[in-house]
Amino acid sequence: MKRVYILALFLSFVILAGYAQTEETIDEEGKVPAYTLPALLESNAGRKITTVEQWEEIRRPELLTLFTEQVYGKSPVGEVDVSYRKLDDNHSAVEGSATRKQIEITFSKNGVRRKALLLLYLPNQIKTPVPVFFACNFQGNQTISTDPDIIVSSDNPRGCAQSRWPVSKIIDAGYGLATVYYFDFFPDRKDGHAESVLALFGIRGEQDIASDGGQALSAWAWGISRMMDYFETDRQIDASRIILMGHSRLGKAALWAGAQDSRFSIVISNCSGCGGAALSKRAFGETVGTINNAFPHWFCKNFRQYGRNEVALPVDQHELIALIAPRPVYVASAEEDLWADPKGEFLSAFYAGDVYRLYGLEGLQSDVMPVVNSPVVHRVAYHIRTGKHDVTDFDWENYIKFADKWLK
C-alpha cells in the first residue's frame, strides 16, 4: 500500500509539473490579478441579507448548494448499516495519564462492507465526559505515536508522524484526541473509488459519478461525520464539544465537513490552501486549474471548468468559512507555505466575519495580516507562524487556548 501511495504522489507531481509549464505560478502580491469576490450577504436574487434569520433561511442554503454542486460534490445519500466493535480499552496509556480506545467501525450497504479504525486517547484525570480534538491522519494510526499497542492501519513506520501529534500536551490540557486514517474513507489516488466508502453507494469509478457528484473530499467529509456519530454513543466523550482540525487537504475536508455538519463545536483549518481556506480568485500559489489537474479525484467534475477561469466561480472560500458561523473557527498559515497562499487564507477568514457580526460576534477586525507568530483571536481566529507546510507545537498550543476560550 505504501508503494502504491508513493507512486500515486509521484504521478501527481509529474502531472503538476507538466501543468505548471502552461500556467505561470503567482508567488508575488504584485502579480495577483484584479478580482471581485462574490457578495457574501446578498442572495442569488440580489436581496440584501441583514438578519440572522435571512442568513439561515435564504443565503446559507444557497451557498451550501453552490459549494455542493460546483466545488465539492454531493455527499453519499442513503442509510448505511453501522456497527462498532471495541478492540482496545487500556486505562494506563500515555504513562498512565490516559485511556486508549480503539474502535473498529464497519459500514455495510448493498452487500459492500468498509471498515474504519478509530484511535482515541482520553484523559484519566477528568471523570466527566471530555471534550475531544478530532483530526484525520495521513499515514496510519500507528504513525502518530511510538505507542507499540496502536493497531497498525497502513504500511508506514510506527511513530513517523509523531511530531504533528503532541498527545501528552493535549491530554494534559484536559482534552481527548481522536484520529482515523483518511484512506479508510477514500484511498488518495485517482482510482480509489472502488475501495472507498463510495462503493457502498454503487460507485466503482469516476465514470459512475455525475458532474456534481462528490469524490474524495466528499467521502472524507462523509467519514468525518460518521466519526461524530460514534462520539455521540460514547459516554466518556462530550459530543457537544468536539473540535475538528484538519491539515492541508484534510483541512479542506474539515472545512467542508464543518460547513455541512453543525455538530462540530469548533472547526480548525491548518494550511489548507486552494479549495480550503485560501481565496480561489486570487490565483496565488496553487490554483483551481493546478489542483484539479494534479488531483482530479478530489473535487466534483464541475469544479474543473473554473481552472484558469476563477473569475466565473459563483462562490469563494470566505463563504465556505462563513457557513460555519456562529461556531468558532480558526484559520492558520505558515510563512514559507506560499503554495497555500497565506494571505488568501487570512482574507477568507477576515471576510467571513461579516456573517459572524450578524450574530453579534467578533470576526477579525482588520484586513491587514497580523505579525508572524502573533495570533489574533476572536470568534474567528487566525495566525501565521514561521516555518513550512506542517503542523507544529505552536499550532497545537494555540488551538488548545482557542478551545479553552470557547469550550471551558
Side-chain angles (χ1 to χ4, degrees):
M1 182 182 294
K2 182 180 180 182
R3 290 181 178 177
V4 171
Y5 181 49
I6 291 173
L7 177 60
L9 284 179
F10 172 74
L11 292 175
S12 296
F13 290 137
V14 170
I15 294 169
L16 181 57
Y19 190 78
Q21 294 176 0
T22 62
E23 181 180 15
E24 179 185 3
T25 298
I26 296 173
D27 58 5
E28 298 177 14
E29 282 301 313
K31 296 181 180 179
V32 172
Y35 63 89
T36 301
L37 292 179
L40 175 57
L41 293 178
E42 184 176 307
S43 74
N44 292 343
R47 179 178 178 180
K48 298 296 183 183
I49 303 300
T50 60
T51 67
V52 168
E53 290 73 22
Q54 291 171 344
W55 165 255
E56 293 181 349
E57 296 174 10
I58 301 172
R59 188 56 176 157
R60 190 181 189 282
E62 287 180 347
L63 289 173
L64 199 56
T65 297
L66 285 170
F67 276 108
T68 298
E69 295 179 349
Q70 300 301 317
V71 182
Y72 301 103
K74 295 178 179 177
S75 296
V77 176
E79 294 294 324
V80 174
D81 291 331
V82 182
S83 64
Y84 305 123
R85 185 161 73 102
K86 187 185 297 184
L87 304 180
D88 177 35
D89 191 3
N90 186 299
H91 298 268
S92 301
V94 193
E95 298 181 345
S97 66
T99 293
R100 184 191 61 242
K101 301 170 72 171
Q102 298 181 79
I103 311 296
E104 181 185 74
I105 302 175
T106 302
F107 306 103
S108 304
K109 186 179 178 70
N110 298 325
V112 178
R113 300 175 73 194
R114 293 290 179 267
K115 294 181 183 291
L117 183 60
L118 181 66
L119 169 65
L120 281 161
Y121 286 102
L122 302 174
N124 287 335
Q125 75 269 26
I126 301 176
K127 301 306 179 185
T128 56
V130 298
V132 171
F133 280 94
F134 169 53
C136 293
N137 66 74
F138 281 98
Q139 296 175 284
N141 291 356
Q142 79 283 354
T143 67
I144 79 158
S145 169
T146 56
D147 183 343
D149 294 317
I150 297 176
I151 299 170
V152 173
S153 57
S154 75
D155 294 334
N156 295 304
R158 191 177 297 276
C160 68
Q162 62 180 321
S163 65
R164 291 183 172 181
W165 301 89
V167 179
S168 294
K169 185 187 298 289
I170 294 168
I171 292 297
D172 290 346
Y175 293 91
L177 174 64
T179 189
V180 63
Y181 184 33
Y182 81 133
F183 267 43
D184 287 354
F185 306 124
F186 193 112
D188 195 0
R189 57 178 186 270
K190 289 192 293 184
D191 63 349
H193 303 77
E195 296 177 40
S196 77
V197 294
L198 297 182
L200 296 164
F201 304 89
I203 296 171
R204 293 288 179 172
E206 185 180 330
Q207 72 279 357
D208 298 326
I209 299 175
S211 60
D212 62 354
Q215 297 196 86
L217 278 163
S218 178
W220 296 332
W222 182 89
I224 287 169
S225 285
R226 300 293 72 75
M227 298 304 99
M228 173 58 91
D229 293 345
Y230 168 77
F231 298 147
E232 291 182 326
T233 71
D234 193 322
R235 294 182 180 180
Q236 292 179 280
I237 294 173
D238 184 348
S240 69
R241 294 188 292 167
I242 303 296
I243 309 105
L244 174 60
M245 193 280 279
H247 169 62
S248 193
R249 68 198 62 181
L250 294 177
K252 308 179 205 301
L255 287 172
W256 182 226
Q260 296 178 92
D261 192 337
S262 62
R263 292 177 296 173
F264 293 103
S265 59
I266 292 176
V267 180
I268 300 170
S269 156
N270 192 90
C271 299
S272 60
C274 181
L279 291 174
S280 296
K281 293 181 187 292
R282 277 172 49 84
F284 189 103
E286 188 171 37
T287 64
V288 172
T290 305
I291 202 169
N292 277 314
N293 276 272
F295 306 104
H297 57 290
W298 283 5
F299 300 88
C300 73
K301 297 176 187 177
N302 277 341
F303 195 44
R304 299 172 189 174
Q305 67 188 297
Y306 303 109
R308 306 181 73 177
N309 186 33
E310 286 88 353
V311 66
L313 257 174
V315 290
D316 215 326
Q317 302 308 102
H318 64 303
E319 295 172 313
L320 176 67
I321 295 172
L323 289 174
I324 296 167
R327 290 165 291 150
V329 63
Y330 200 131
V331 175
S333 309
E335 188 178 27
E336 298 175 27
D337 189 18
L338 296 183
W339 193 240
D341 186 13
K343 185 170 182 179
E345 294 179 314
F346 165 73
L347 289 174
S348 276
F350 170 74
Y351 290 123
D354 287 344
V355 172
Y356 282 82
R357 281 183 278 277
L358 286 182
Y359 287 93
L361 301 167
E362 284 189 279
L364 300 178
Q365 302 300 298
S366 171
D367 63 357
V368 177
M369 288 186 71
V371 175
V372 175
N373 296 331
S374 301
V376 178
V377 179
H378 300 291
R379 193 72 166 188
V380 180
Y382 176 83
H383 75 239
I384 178 170
R385 59 160 171 78
T386 52
K388 59 184 181 179
H389 187 76
D390 203 351
V391 187
T392 69
D393 279 355
F394 178 87
D395 297 318
W396 276 109
E397 287 163 7
N398 283 286
Y399 299 155
I400 290 170
K401 290 177 183 177
F402 190 63
D404 286 348
K405 178 179 178 65
W406 296 111
L407 299 185
K408 291 188 176 180

